[in-house]
Amino acid sequence: MNILILGSGGREHALTWAVMQNPKCDRLIVAPGNAGIAQIADCADLDIENGTAVVTFVEENAIDFVIIGPEAPLAKGVADRLRDAGILVFGPSEGAAKLEASKSFTKEICAAANAPTAGYGHFTDAEAAKAHIRANGAPIVVKADGLAAGKGVIVAMTEAEALEAIDDMFGGAFGGAGAEVVIEEFMEGEEASLFVLVDGEDVLSVGTAQDHKRVGEGDTGLNTGGMGAYSPAPVLSAEIEAKAMNEIVKPTMAEMAKRGVPFQGVLYAGLMIKDGQPRLVEYNVRFGDPECQVLMLRLGAQALDLMQAAAEGRLKEAKVNWADDHAITVVMAANGYPGSYEKGSEIKGLAALNSDSKNFVFHAGTKADGDKILASGGRVLNVTARGATLQEARDRAYEMVEAIDWPGGFYRRDIGWRAL
Ligand code: AMP
Ligand code: GLY
């Protein structure tokens, strides 16, 4: 089978790593990829948000299966263009991708499906939004309705902060994404994520994870795309996971199918858990990054069979072969991230590290310069390890982190603290 993976981050490096171990995989191309991906697979330059260009590339390269990593091509209907051309693809349609691309759409679907989530109001007018905030008080959560690269959510601890967020959003701080806002009830509890493959009808859990969004140790400082993650998430016990599946995931998937927009791909349910009850925080329509890195290390080659089963509508007969293991990933980021940071600093010591089924450094933002590896993004490396216990995995990951010689970068020393 010839496979094309779309994307260029640590998530796509992890997908590449897992897929290529499957004997079914004959040829693998990643577009556009990064310096780490290029060490294990062919990379191609391609505008992955242009459906026509992707279809042409697939036809010219005799690709049998396309796996879409990030949300942007999904929100632009690239999966639809591929399916229209008769090409097997893992990833939701543009209509189904609205579960991530529009917060008000998701809230409305959840209401119709009776799925537990925060109470909300949807506003297209700043004054009405402010009146809602004054009536409800703080803490309260203000969200730009559209895709805002994870930056469109303000968890306001005071009314003044919430009102200011409304001014920012209607003032264009988030571009078109802020012309509409969703204001939510503040939910307390512990957050964890559940990853579910969906084939339009049937669902299959492929694991749980927790990430660390804040840049600083002790979960302090600015929000980031994620500074580390681990799987499984202890807070998502089998019982709570079953509740999340039965009360949240399955009813929303059934509601999508009923509306003629069945979901196919991976549904990433962000959950808030309190007193044994999960409530939905948000859906994403793709694997989390860096959560994918820990899931792939645990799943290995079977990830390809599972994604193919989802794409072909055969999830009913699929099952995951779980090892009783734990995985963790530590993100190494460029100094200054998530603020402004320099690009181009050299990273040394990578070649000497173990790369096997239990240890792997996924590249998130690197580029090659001859034999050198240079940082080219904010989040740069995902140092990932697997072990019989979380402690074992964590010790191994930090051993690798310490062996990496990169004065231009930093990392958090406390990934996994909540679980340990
Ligand atoms: P989102 O992009 O919707 O996941 O929001 C980003 C983060 O904001 C989440 O991971 C939560 O930590 C927090 N958050 C979002 N919605 C709520 C809510 N209703 N109550 C409490 N925290 C929230
Ligand atoms: N790590 C959070 C995300 O991928 O959205």
Side-chain angles (χ1 to χ4, degrees):
M1 177 179 241
N2 294 336
I3 299 166
L4 172 67
I5 295 178
L6 301 183
S8 62
R11 167 181 48 213
E12 287 75 24
H13 195 181
L15 289 168
T16 302
W17 176 87
V19 162
M20 66 187 300
Q21 290 175 46
N22 192 308
K24 230 192 251 172
C25 174
D26 295 314
R27 175 148 194 245
L28 177 59
I29 306 178
V30 185
N34 63 35
I37 296 172
Q39 291 173 346
I40 60 171
D42 290 335
C43 292
D45 205 13
L46 175 64
D47 178 1
I48 65 167
E49 294 180 27
N50 179 335
T52 311
V54 174
V55 169
T56 304
F57 183 89
V58 162
E59 286 169 348
E60 283 173 1
N61 289 279
I63 299 293
D64 304 298
F65 185 32
V66 181
I67 297 167
I68 303 183
E71 62 276 21
L74 296 167
K76 290 197 170 154
V78 171
D80 306 70
R81 300 293 88 70
L82 287 162
R83 272 192 280 274
D84 290 348
I87 297 155
L88 189 66
V89 54
F90 177 77
S93 65
E94 181 179 351
K98 278 181 81 180
L99 282 177
E100 176 164 356
S102 167
K103 303 210 185 268
S104 58
F105 174 80
T106 301
K107 296 305 279 188
E108 199 247 309
I109 292 277
C110 285
N114 225 353
T117 182
Y120 79 110
H122 175 211
F123 302 92
T124 52
D125 170 84
E127 282 319 309
K130 287 183 178 176
H132 180 87
I133 289 168
R134 289 192 189 99
N136 287 274
I140 196 162
V141 183
V142 180
K143 302 186 175 185
D145 191 36
L147 285 180
K151 295 179 185 86
V153 175
I154 307 293
V155 179
M157 298 317 280
T158 64
E159 207 173 291
E161 237 180 297
L163 296 172
E164 195 184 320
I166 294 298
D167 284 333
D168 284 348
M169 288 184 189
F170 284 95
F174 300 96
E180 292 187 30
V181 301
V182 164
I183 301 178
E184 287 184 8
E185 161 201 358
F186 173 78
M187 293 188 286
E188 272 176 47
E190 184 169 346
E191 281 189 85
S193 303
L194 174 62
F195 293 86
V196 183
L197 299 189
V198 186
D199 66 4
E201 203 175 325
D202 289 301
V203 299
L204 179 71
S205 165
V206 287
T208 62
Q210 276 178 298
D211 75 344
H212 294 267
K213 289 195 170 65
R214 303 300 190 97
V215 70
E217 278 158 21
D219 294 322
T220 56
L222 292 173
N223 258 325
T224 71
M227 292 300 292
Y230 49 94
S231 171
V235 64
L236 267 177
S237 63
E239 193 190 332
I240 299 178
E241 181 178 333
K243 266 190 171 197
M245 277 290 210
N246 293 327
E247 297 175 15
I248 301 173
V249 173
K250 286 183 188 171
T252 29
M253 293 298 94
E255 181 66 24
M256 293 291 282
K258 192 174 117 193
R259 294 183 183 206
V261 278
F263 186 95
Q264 186 265 87
V266 57
L267 186 72
Y268 158 176
L271 304 169
M272 190 70 82
I273 297 135
K274 191 170 176 244
D275 302 332
Q277 179 63 46
R279 291 208 282 169
L280 185 77
V281 178
E282 62 159 357
Y283 280 131
N284 293 305
V285 300
R286 40 129 189 124
F287 281 111
D289 188 347
E291 292 89 334
C292 185
Q293 288 79 315
V294 285
L295 296 177
M296 289 303 130
L297 209 70
R298 296 186 66 209
L299 291 169
Q302 65 180 323
L304 174 60
D305 302 315
L306 298 171
M307 290 188 282
Q308 187 186 354
E312 291 176 343
R314 293 186 289 102
L315 273 185
K316 202 192 272 291
E317 62 196 55
K319 79 181 223 320
V320 181
N321 289 313
W322 284 115
D324 187 13
D325 60 1
H326 298 256
I328 192 163
T329 188
V330 179
V331 171
M332 296 182 79
N335 291 337
Y337 175 82
S340 62
Y341 53 84
E342 266 181 38
K343 291 186 183 178
S345 56
E346 187 181 351
I347 304 162
K348 292 186 195 156
L350 291 172
L353 297 174
N354 279 335
S355 289
D356 53 36
S357 65
K358 290 192 161 170
N359 306 278
F360 209 91
V361 178
F362 297 113
H363 291 218
T366 62
K367 71 171 198 235
D369 177 15
D371 287 342
K372 293 183 187 168
I373 297 290
L374 307 181
S376 68
R379 290 189 297 167
V380 173
L381 297 171
N382 309 137
V383 183
T384 314
R386 183 162 70 92
T389 62
L390 183 61
Q391 187 68 53
E392 183 193 324
R394 184 178 193 257
D395 290 347
R396 190 130 17 74
Y398 277 107
E399 224 172 89
M400 290 194 284
V401 165
E402 278 152 27
I404 294 171
D405 176 12
W406 181 33
F410 74 98
Y411 57 90
R412 277 181 57 170
R413 286 162 212 274
D414 65 344
I415 302 304
W417 68 268
R418 201 184 289 277
L420 285 170

